[in-house]
Amino acid sequence: MYNVIFYIFEIGVFVASFFNEKVRKMWKGERASFRYLKEHVDPNADYAWFHAASLGEFEQGRPIMEEFRKVYPEKKILLTFFSPSGYEVRKNYELADLVCYLPIDTPTNAIRFLRTVRPSVAFFIKYEFWYNYMHILRHRGVPVYSVSSIFRPDQVFFRWYGKTYAHVLKCFTHFFVQNEESKRLLASIGITNVDVTGDTRFDRVATIANQSKNIPAVATFVKNNPQKVFVAGSSWLPDEQIFLPYLAQHPEWKIIIAPHVIAENHIEMIMQLLKGRRVMRYSQLQVGDHAKLAEAEVLIIDCFGLLSSIYKYGTVAYVGGGFGVSIHNLPEAAVWNIPVIFGPNNHKFQEAQELKACQGGFEITSAEDFALIMNRFSADKQALKAASDAAGNYVRSQSGATERLLQLLRESKKE
């Protein structure tokens, strides 16, 4: 049944590729993977395979790849992605020897892929449990590790109808999970090769913070009012329709928006919602714009690659996606000791629940909720400081997952 579903899925992806640019990139990328590997795989090399579905999973796996490279410099690294949002951004990742899409999980694709690469070890980040790849890796005797994985009771593995598919979990050599609940759930179906190591993404955001860039244009923008700077990262239109009407009426706040989509029509919608505020766009800044930039009220970051460093200029952050499919990277903002606001679709994210619990993160469901929080932060400096400290302390308390994982991995190899 699984393979039938995936053959149908493959046909569906092909049809959708005619109508959706993102799907088209994925389809073409997967078709090109075998040619790419045939041309670039070194038949004499020893490959460690890391797979991340998308960019978020890559950021979780990146600390492991970087430390793995230091510990095992003799191995080459193959990095694969399922989604264009990961591959297109990280296809030139300097620490990987090969980067490509992972072909859809059919038996034929999995056999061909693994015959070509012949990895000696594989790491799957967070949610990746591909049935055919897993079983063939086990058949070949390749150690397979699930890292930064997290499990919930509503997942298929723990439902009566998912017992057959749950066998895929027995293909893993070891699970390095984020929390005790995940360990308990796995134990309930007989999976005991599990250690709780935490979420490696916290190590990544700590590294990013330590290596952050100074952005002169942003520093100029905030210098006249550094105490009230609102930064919105990875926002979508449903997010912006919540927070921009409030901010449009509160000129005491400097606003930096780094939207998830930087298409021209989306930027125009943002500017319409901010009608009456002095807006500048990062991509259009000129050499002599310092004075205008300092007096501007809104700065739109209409390019990629700056957000993680921009958060450090903020007083309050909003992380988008919570009024859509799911929220984006909360620790990336919280690491800078600033409270984080986000939408209601966050229940699958442990960091969101823990930030709410420690009062460093705040869920909103409406414009009224947002106004209440912002009014409180505007009027009560102590409340703002307490929330800021709580956010930063939470991220720092979660670091160290990468070292714990690698230490356990080293110990298992000695046995």
Side-chain angles (χ1 to χ4, degrees), residues 1-8 164:
M1 179 61 71
Y2 176 90
N3 289 325
V4 171
I5 291 170
F6 259 83
Y7 280 120
I8 295 171
T164 300

Side-chain angles (χ1 to χ4, degrees), residues 92-145:
N92 297 315
Y93 177 52
E94 63 279 3
L95 286 188
D97 298 283
L98 301 172
V99 183
C100 66
Y101 282 95
L102 180 66
I104 287 174
D105 186 31
T106 64
T108 302
N109 283 346
I111 291 169
R112 186 180 176 190
F113 180 90
L114 292 169
R115 279 179 179 172
T116 303
V117 179
R118 295 177 294 107
S120 62
V121 63
F123 296 86
F124 285 74
I125 315 300
K126 198 173 182 179
Y127 289 135
E128 296 299 276
F129 309 106
W130 298 113
Y131 191 89
N132 292 304
Y133 283 106
M134 292 298 106
H135 279 83
I136 296 170
L137 285 166
R138 183 175 68 170
H139 177 74
R140 289 171 169 263
V142 177
V144 184
Y145 301 97

Side-chain angles (χ1 to χ4, degrees), residues 7 20 34 38 57 59 69 119 147 181 195 341 347:
Y7 280 120
N20 184 288
F34 288 118
K38 184 177 179 180
E57 288 78 12
E59 291 298 333
R69 173 67 87 185
V147 300
E181 172 71 358
D195 278 294
I341 303 171
H347 301 293

Side-chain angles (χ1 to χ4, degrees), residues 2 63 114 155 162 169 179 205 212 219 225 257 283 317-318 348 385:
Y2 176 90
L114 292 169
Q155 286 174 300
L169 301 179
N179 58 26
V205 298
S212 69
N225 188 19
I257 307 174
S283 66
Y318 182 97
K348 293 181 180 180
K385 185 179 187 307

Side-chain angles (χ1 to χ4, degrees), residues 205 231 233 307-308 311-312 316-319 329-341 391-392 395:
V205 298
V231 179
L307 180 58
S308 59
Y311 279 124
K312 71 178 177 182
V316 176
Y318 182 97
V319 174
N329 194 337
L330 297 178
E332 187 177 50
V335 71
W336 293 107
N337 277 54
I338 54 176
V340 187
I341 303 171
V395 174

Side-chain angles (χ1 to χ4, degrees), residues 220-267:
T220 298
F221 172 73
V222 304
K223 73 176 184 179
N224 289 346
N225 188 19
Q227 302 306 315
K228 285 194 175 181
V229 179
F230 179 87
V231 179
S234 300
S235 59
W236 298 79
L237 186 60
D239 300 300
E240 291 147 5
Q241 289 173 328
I242 291 287
F243 63 75
L244 287 182
Y246 173 91
L247 294 167
Q249 301 301 317
H250 288 78
E252 70 272 17
W253 285 92
K254 288 265 190 172
I255 308 163
I256 303 174
I257 307 174
H260 188 79
V261 177
I262 58 173
E264 195 62 29
N265 62 338
H266 186 200
I267 300 298

